[in-house]
Amino acid sequence: MLRLNKVNKFYQVGAHSLHVLRDVDFEVADGEFVAIMGASGSGKSTLLNILGILDDYSSGEYWLGDTLIRKLSESKSAEYRNRFIGFVFQSFNLLPFKTALENVALPLYYQGVSRRKRNQIAAQYLERVGLRDWADHLPSEMSGGQKQRVAIARALIGKPRLILADEPTGALDSETSRQIMDLMTEINSTGITVLIVTHDPEVAARTQRTIRLKDGKVVGAHEAAVSHPGLPAQRASDPSISGSGAS
């Protein structure tokens, strides 16, 4: 799915060069469920931005599938993001003036899908995350867990091969976090590769393995204490992902 080979990232800060990522090497196979952990300032966010083609790197190689991701134009970067990647953020990044249905449908709007068709598809994805009855609600009318489910449905609607989740449970209580991780596990069981940046060991323990960063370097990658159940892969488009809308 993706491979990094001695990836470095420098930022110019005044007259000084800040070395944020240092010879980062790792691979993630199709269908894996991986956590990335590290203290604040370890390079997690920079790494996630590179993996999501939101930022470029200074040297090394980043391969997404069979494509070398390197110094792409903005239009090409957007094309690869839309084709391969779905994003889930700690702060949900929902548009406050749009309903749950409209938020989920937004990626299809940018793909030129008609309003009727994209709303039909968005309703199906809301049902998959247990929120069909909340389609007409604004984010301000929803709990944190519900907003994160909407964000997950929005990430899934483009049928990505890779989900990048940045602290997806960071703003949630422990029970809602568990429910969101149950949902992420179900998503992964459909064959979608999932990478989660987290500071929470309990979240990391739900994944197959953890990659640890310290001062911009990979310092460890190991199997999680609680292994992934290893359910057989299904097509990512199967309407099999479910969840309670009560969170």
Side-chain angles (χ1 to χ4, degrees), residues 8-210:
N8 288 269
K9 177 65 178 181
F10 297 89
Y11 286 111
Q12 200 65 31
V13 181
H16 302 283
S17 182
L18 183 62
H19 199 173
V20 180
L21 295 179
R22 302 169 180 265
D23 289 333
V24 172
D25 280 300
F26 65 83
E27 295 185 21
V28 176
D30 274 329
E32 274 202 282
F33 193 7
V34 178
I36 298 174
M37 296 191 73
S40 178
S42 62
K44 301 190 306 296
S45 295
T46 299
L47 177 59
L48 196 73
N49 285 340
I50 290 171
L51 295 176
I53 324 180
L54 298 169
D55 194 5
D56 205 356
Y57 50 98
S58 304
S59 65
E61 294 181 340
Y62 168 33
W63 292 84
L64 182 58
D66 296 326
T67 302
L68 177 62
I69 305 298
R70 178 72 169 155
K71 297 189 182 302
L72 301 179
S73 67
E74 183 50 45
S75 61
K76 203 68 175 176
S77 295
E79 178 186 337
Y80 281 110
R81 284 194 298 269
N82 291 336
R83 186 190 306 175
F84 287 105
I85 302 171
F87 295 92
V88 178
F89 301 97
Q90 176 178 348
S91 57
F92 320 125
N93 286 16
L94 302 178
L95 295 179
F97 52 87
K98 289 191 176 291
T99 65
L101 185 76
E102 291 168 333
N103 268 285
V104 174
L106 198 59
L108 299 185
Y109 167 80
Y110 291 114
Q111 293 178 20
V113 178
S114 70
R115 178 171 181 166
R116 181 179 179 183
K117 182 65 174 176
R118 67 177 181 261
N119 284 348
Q120 287 176 344
I121 297 172
Q124 293 171 5
Y125 277 85
L126 278 175
E127 185 168 8
R128 289 172 68 178
V129 299
L131 289 180
R132 180 66 179 263
D133 293 341
W134 289 81
D136 296 326
H137 288 253
L138 294 171
S140 61
E141 301 170 320
M142 307 177 79
S143 70
Q146 288 169 330
K147 285 186 280 192
Q148 194 60 287
R149 289 179 183 275
V150 172
I152 290 169
R154 182 185 58 190
L156 289 172
I157 200 169
K159 298 183 180 178
R161 292 175 53 193
L162 170 66
I163 293 286
L164 297 177
D166 188 6
E167 300 282 4
T169 64
L172 306 176
D173 61 65
S174 58
E175 174 58 22
T176 307
S177 296
R178 184 191 64 76
Q179 294 172 6
I180 292 299
M181 286 306 297
D182 287 346
L183 180 56
M184 298 297 282
T185 300
E186 289 183 63
I187 290 166
N188 176 245
S189 76
T190 69
I192 296 175
T193 306
V194 179
L195 265 70
I196 293 183
V197 168
T198 182
H199 68 278
D200 187 342
E202 292 186 11
V203 169
R206 296 287 303 272
T207 67
Q208 290 175 315
R209 64 187 174 104
T210 300

